[in-house]
Structure formats: C-alpha cells, structure tokens
Amino acid sequence: MADLRPFALVQSEDQWRRSAHLGTSLQVGPSQTAAVQLAWETEEVVEVPDGPAPTAAGLAFDPWCRLYHSLPEEGRVERLLWAAADPLAAVEERPAPVSLFADETPEGGDFAPGEGETGVLADPRGLAVDAEGRLFVAETGALRILVFDLQERRLLRRVLLPAAPLGLATDGRKVWAALAGTPSLAVLEAQTGPRLVALPPGIDPPTRLAVDPDGKLWLLAGGTVVPLDRPGEGFFVPGATDLAFQEDGALVVARRPGQDFLRFRLRPGGRDRLPQLKARGYDGRGIVRTPDGRIGFWSARGFRHAVPARQRYLASGRVVTFRLDSGDFQTVWGRLFLDACIPKETEIRVHFATADEPPEEVMLARTPPANAEVMVISRPDLSPPMPPLSLVPAEGEVRQKLHRRETGREIPWTETAEDDPLETYEAPVIAPPGRFLWVTLELYGDTQVTPRVRSVRVERPAHELLRHLPRAYSRDEAAADFLRRYLAPLEGSLAELGARAAARRALLDPWSAPPEMLPWLAGFVGLVLDERWPVQAKRRLVEEAAWLFRFRGTVPGLRRFLEIYLERQVLLVEHFRTRGAGSFEAHAHRFSVVIPAALDGEQLDVVRHVLEVHRPAHTLYDLCTVGTGMRVGVGLHVELTSVVGRSSEFRALQVGAAALGRGSVIGRPVAGTRTGKSRLGRDSRVG
C-alpha cells in the first residue's frame, strides 16, 4: 500500500496523435505540452476583390521600436514612433510619420531624385533592419539595395544586383533578398556581399521572405509557402500576400484584403492549423512582427495590429485512446486520473471498454485532430490498436462523470505550477476485468469555451482491500464490484499517505523537494534563503551549502556564492595582486568583484547583500558590472578586468544630461577599416 501503483499513461503529443479524434483538436503549448480540446470554427464571410494583389510594400522595426514603412508609388520611406501610436485615436490626432530620406540631402547628393521620379527612391518595396540598426531598402526600380545607418544617419552602401530586389528578410546579421524573375536569392551583410544562392529545383522565384526563430529562411512563391532547407514540405495558401513568424514559432500567412490571417504550427513532417487572426483594413501589401510579438499591418487608418478572430467551438467532441495494456489477463483496473481544465458550463465524461482477447472485427479508424492539416505518424505499425467497433460507445452512452481532487495530483510530492490552469480529476474505472483497456473522453462545451485535457493516467491493478475482508463480502460479483468502488476513495487516501511516507527521502534532496520546503531544508545547515533568488539557484545553494560555509569569506567561496545566483562566471580581484597597485599597505584587504553582465536593480541588491554578509568584515570591495564600462588607465587590466564585446551601457551623449567620458560617448563604435577588404566611400571614410 505504501508504493505508488503502476499506471498506464497517455500524455505526449505523439500519443494523442495516435488516438482517434472526432470533433476535437490538439493544441501544443510553448513547453511542447499537448492538450485535447473541442474543435473550432471561424466565421469568415468576405468578398475577395478580383484582379491581382496590391503591390508589396515594406514594414520593419529597428532595435529602438521605431517602425519603417515604404511607399513605392511615392518613392520614399517613412518612420513612425510605434509605441506612441494609438490605433483608437482619430487619424489627425496621431503623430505624423517622418519621411526618412527627404531631408537628408537638401541639395541632392545620395538621394537626389532621377528624371521622371516622384520621390528620392525608385520604387522602394522590401525593408529590413539588422541587429546593429542598419536599414536595408530594396530599391526595386534601381536594381539595388541601399544600406543606411540609422544612428549615424548616413548611407553606408549601394549594392547593385543582377535583378530587381523585392522582399527582404534578416536574422539580425545576414539579409536575404528575393530577386524578381531569377532562380536565386541574394545574401549580404551591412559591409559584405552580395552573393547569390541558387534556389532548389522546382521552386518559382519568391516575392516575400521570412526567417523563423531558428534562423531558417521561408519563401512565398506564387502562393506557395516553402522552407528553403525542406522544399518538399511546401504548401499552397490561396491568395497569400506575405508571411511572418511569431516568437513561439507560429507561422502567420497574410492573404488578400478582407481575409483573415492564417496561422500554422509547423513540425517535422506535419502542420497544424491555429486560430486565425482578424486584420480589419489590411491593405494587402505586407505584414511585420511587432517588438511585443504581435502581427502588424498597414491600413487606411495607419498601422494596426491583427487580433484573434472570434472562434465558435463545437458543442461536443470525443477522443478514443489506443489500447492500454496492463500485461496481465483479467486485470481489475483501478482509478482514472485526468489533468484537465474544465471551465464552467463545460463538462468531460468518460467511458471504459476492456477485453482479454479483442473480437476479430473491424477496428475503429485512427482519425487525426481536426486542426491537423498534414500529419505523419512515425512507425504506425508500432501503434497499439484501436478498439473494435463493437466496444466503441454509441452517442449518449458516455455518462460517467469526473470528481475534482481537492488535494491535487495523486503522485507524491508533486505540486502544480502556479501558472498552470489545469487541475486533477478522478473517476473509478467501471468495466469488467480485462488485460486491455480503451478510454473514451467526451467533451462538452457551450460553443464559447472548451474543456482541455492534457494527461490521462489509469491505475493497474485496482486496490486489494477486499482480500482483507471476509470472503462473504466479495463472493457475489456485483456486490464485490460495488464494494471495490465504494472503498476506492478511502484506499486512495491511505495509499497516497503511504506513498508520501515511502518517498519522504525526496524532502531531503534539494532537487526533488517542493519549492516551499526549501527554506525548511536550508535550515538544517543554518542557511536562510533569500526570497529574491530563483528556485533553481536556491536548490543549488542548498546542495552546496556545506562546501560554501567551509570556504566562507575566501575568494573561492565568495566567487562560487555569486556564480550560483547569477549563473555566470564572476571574477574576484584582490588589489594587492594587481601589477602596479602600489604599496601593500594601501591596497591590502580590498578587492573588486567583476561581473561580465548588465544587472538590474534587484540583482545588484542581492549581490551587495551576499558580499555584505559573507565577506570578511574588515575588507572593502568595489562592484564592477558591464555598466561600469572599460576605461584605459582607470582600473583596466588586460585579461583580468576587461571583457571584449558589446556593452550597450554607454549611451549617446545628451546635452545637459550626461558627462563626456563618464557614462556617455560621442557617436557609436563601428567596425574599423580592414586592409585589403575596405573601400573608401563604402565602409570607410576619412576623418
């Protein structure tokens, strides 16, 4: 009774896909946890205009959350303060966009309009901004790409191409350009390239490009969405005009004006539909991912954001699991446990079917979830079989209800995360004894909300309390079945207490103890935990507490203490050890803590608290982070207190609000001139 009984489990995405779905869909969260819910329908009644799609235009954000929008017909690119734009305000009350190149060269120069041109640029379409803040403009009419430094407000390069550039995409460093009518792409960086990359055979020249969170390039060619590294997995989207990726990896495909944006979850060998996005007023010329992860587009009222389309869930649906095997004939199955979210006005009911030897008849078909457009099951021959049709419950036969467990999960010492909306539900398995078990879950909703199921666990076998009672109580099969179910709640409570007692050693391990038990566990070694520390850091601190107290106040001890909290290497420098530090008396008992990272206010407070409590009382210290900067002649020691890399803590000089040489610089660091590779007027200049 003390040990947790074995159970059969249906939980992973692969397991749910091997089940039979009818009116249900499968949703996969950011942590790759799969949940079954009711399928949805999206009401979309629009009249798509005839004729060709509008000419594409560019949208891009820079690292400072400023939006850039190209107007091909007017030959210009405008800049908009995205965070200051209120989409609900009247058009005349919004901040006016600023034309980017109009005032750069009042006497002509780099952006002098040519004869017959309406603006300073020749048909600018695609836009992209790299991680360093360089704007790439696909000047389609001039067969070139302009590279413009947004901070220094100067033109870096003009990149001539063999064909007209259309869409642009960047991974932060490299920029890809789609070339009109050619079976290749152009790849360049701010100061290098371009080079041409041939497209795989059979792919039409693309018009729009997008880079997924993994840095892989996707193409939109003639309405077909194609991953460049897996061209065989392309798929057609009628009326597609552009594509973009959200932070969670979801692909968003924009269609013609008036149509919703489609969303897809992409996986190896498969593709799932996700709820659509409503884009009212979309001009059909392109979309962009905003800095906060939403999808934006341009409309007659300016820049707007796509919003989730209203969904209508089906009123009911069911999922039937594959065969669960106990390994023994005539198994009496125990309790069912469900990790689910069942909102008000929704319900989940269960049905069980068992057999020792399934009848020789037609099996239930293995049907995919409603939102699975393409689904490939690896090794279907290894999938456990579905139930025979005679064991599948008919409509209205699924009646057994669930009970919500007030004590949470049945697994000892496991706690539900605070942000987890799912709870654990329980039900006895009401079915004849049998080695094999099939579970049918029937979901009911009100078309506005849906229940969700993430995990199914079934005990095997049931409890054995009847063996401890006189035989008279279990001689009759019906009476024994009733008594077994009647005693199940009591036996479950006793079994869980016994399992917790048997697994009490988990409380003494900082990596298995519940988070709320860590302060109690730390008290065994006289350690008081700081609530500001992350849980993982607390666990490691408790684990290494004995070693840390052994070396308390020493350089290794202080360094390790800080490294546990910061999860990065820390350097402690005793001043008397540095070359040229002066006399021993002047610099004894002083040390510096060098942290190669930018810390926020709370992290700085924690670091200072650790140093105040655990350093020797007679010592003094200096705390240096990336924000302190690296200054020649002021505490700078090569390979000791210097870090080569980007700081971002030096800010541009502001008149009246900064001191030159203290925390600000004039201009910004850029790549230097390279012998044999730099060109005067392109990536180098005199002065």
Side-chain angles (χ1 to χ4, degrees), residues 373-599:
E373 289 202 342
V374 177
M375 188 176 73
V376 177
I377 296 179
S378 61
R379 296 300 304 271
D381 55 309
L382 298 181
S383 297
M386 301 302 296
L389 291 179
S390 61
L391 298 181
V392 178
E395 186 176 355
E397 290 186 10
V398 182
R399 301 188 183 92
Q400 190 171 345
K401 298 185 178 182
L402 302 171
H403 166 71
R404 186 179 68 84
R405 291 174 54 87
E406 294 82 0
T407 55
R409 295 180 183 175
E410 81 287 359
I411 303 175
W413 307 119
T414 58
E415 302 293 332
T416 304
E418 294 182 359
D419 58 347
D420 191 350
L422 277 65
E423 297 179 303
T424 301
Y425 294 80
E426 177 183 340
V429 175
I430 302 179
R435 173 179 175 176
F436 304 119
L437 172 71
W438 293 271
V439 181
T440 300
L441 302 176
E442 202 150 275
L443 285 66
Y444 298 91
D446 63 353
T447 73
Q448 302 299 317
V449 293
T450 174
R452 291 179 174 85
V453 180
R454 183 174 63 196
S455 174
V456 172
R457 301 181 295 277
V458 188
E459 287 180 334
R460 54 178 178 87
H463 66 84
E464 299 181 351
L465 284 186
L466 291 183
R467 292 187 179 183
H468 302 279
L469 297 177
R471 179 64 177 169
Y473 289 100
S474 58
R475 186 173 292 112
D476 181 71
E477 184 176 345
D481 181 65
F482 168 78
L483 190 57
R484 183 181 297 107
R485 289 186 282 112
Y486 182 81
L487 294 175
L490 175 62
E491 192 279 338
S493 299
L494 295 176
E496 289 166 26
L497 290 174
R500 281 178 172 249
R504 60 184 178 273
R505 62 184 180 277
L507 298 179
L508 301 179
D509 186 340
W511 293 101
S512 59
E516 60 271 15
M517 300 298 295
L518 291 176
W520 169 80
L521 186 58
F524 280 83
V525 290
L527 181 65
V528 178
L529 296 182
D530 192 330
E531 292 299 325
R532 296 172 293 182
W533 283 49
V535 174
Q536 291 299 101
K538 290 180 182 178
R539 296 185 187 278
R540 189 168 298 280
L541 180 63
V542 174
E543 181 185 40
E544 301 185 20
W547 185 93
L548 290 170
F549 279 122
R550 179 185 175 189
F551 291 93
R552 185 182 185 189
T554 66
V555 171
L558 279 175
R559 181 171 59 240
R560 183 56 186 160
F561 212 116
L562 295 175
E563 288 176 350
I564 292 175
Y565 170 67
L566 297 171
E567 296 184 347
R568 64 176 62 246
Q569 290 186 347
V570 175
L571 181 66
L572 266 70
V573 181
E574 295 174 289
H575 288 190
F576 77 90
R577 295 181 181 273
T578 58
R579 200 178 292 177
S583 64
F584 176 84
E585 292 78 8
H587 298 280
H589 314 305
R590 295 174 180 268
F591 65 95
S592 294
V593 181
V594 182
I595 302 175
L599 307 183

Side-chain angles (χ1 to χ4, degrees), residues 22 29 46 53 74 82 118 138 152 223 362 376 420 429 475 510-511 564 652:
L22 178 62
V46 297
E74 301 181 20
W82 167 72
T118 59
E152 297 188 3
V362 178
V376 177
D420 191 350
V429 175
R475 186 173 292 112
W511 293 101
I564 292 175

